[in-house]
Amino acid sequence: MSIKFKTIERKNPQDRTLDAKYYAAVVANGSVDFETLAEMISEQSALSESDCLSLLNILEVNIIRELKQGRIVRLGKLGNFQISLSSKGFETEGEVSAEGITNTRILFRPAVKLRTMLKNLKFSRTT
């Protein structure tokens, strides 16, 4: 099995006057939702599908709750979630305030098993 990719043409965002170049881009092979994951987990365990769905929903709620508290959420062999931010630069430490925050995002740092999986992927070009 391999990950499909296509070729796309892009301009350099730092210098739009340069000629465009061609890059590889992953072609998504569908998606999977909570309900499907719950069904898959229930087939691989003694838990019912509704129990698995409840567990996934509770996990989502608690991840959000902990991130709002500024905590790193460690999910064992899966990886870690953490809030990150960008801010304006200021001349002095005293000038730094919440109003200077320009962007926020959630970082995901995969654990070793996921990072290793990335190294072993196979790719094939599609049209």
Side-chain angles (χ1 to χ4, degrees):
M1 181 170 276
S2 65
I3 305 291
K4 303 253 186 257
F5 70 92
K6 63 183 177 182
T7 305
I8 59 170
E9 184 179 16
R10 285 192 192 145
K11 288 270 194 186
N12 182 332
Q14 271 76 40
D15 188 349
R16 297 295 216 176
T17 63
L18 296 175
D19 290 338
K21 292 187 178 182
Y22 294 89
Y23 299 89
V26 170
V27 175
N29 183 21
S31 63
V32 64
D33 58 17
F34 262 22
E35 290 78 13
T36 304
L37 285 172
E39 180 182 340
M40 292 165 63
I41 293 167
S42 73
E43 290 170 357
Q44 299 167 13
S45 71
L47 300 173
S48 72
E49 187 176 331
S50 60
D51 288 340
C52 293
L53 186 56
S54 292
L55 179 76
L56 290 172
N57 284 322
I58 292 166
L59 178 63
E60 177 188 27
V61 167
N62 284 291
I63 288 171
I64 292 168
R65 179 180 297 151
E66 295 304 309
L67 287 172
K68 283 181 175 180
Q69 297 295 318
R71 294 187 179 100
I72 297 171
V73 179
R74 301 185 192 284
L75 296 177
K77 295 179 181 179
L78 188 59
N80 305 327
F81 289 96
Q82 181 177 359
I83 298 290
S84 172
L85 61 82
S86 300
S87 75
K88 298 176 190 174
F90 295 92
E91 296 296 322
T92 67
E93 184 178 350
E95 292 177 284
V96 178
S97 68
E99 287 75 31
I101 296 172
T102 58
N103 191 28
T104 56
R105 54 184 179 209
I106 298 171
L107 300 180
F108 175 72
R109 292 190 177 95
V112 173
K113 194 171 187 178
L114 282 177
R115 288 194 314 263
T116 302
M117 177 270 308
L118 289 173
K119 294 177 185 176
N120 298 318
L121 289 176
K122 304 281 187 248
F123 294 92
S124 62
R125 187 173 173 173
T126 186
T127 55

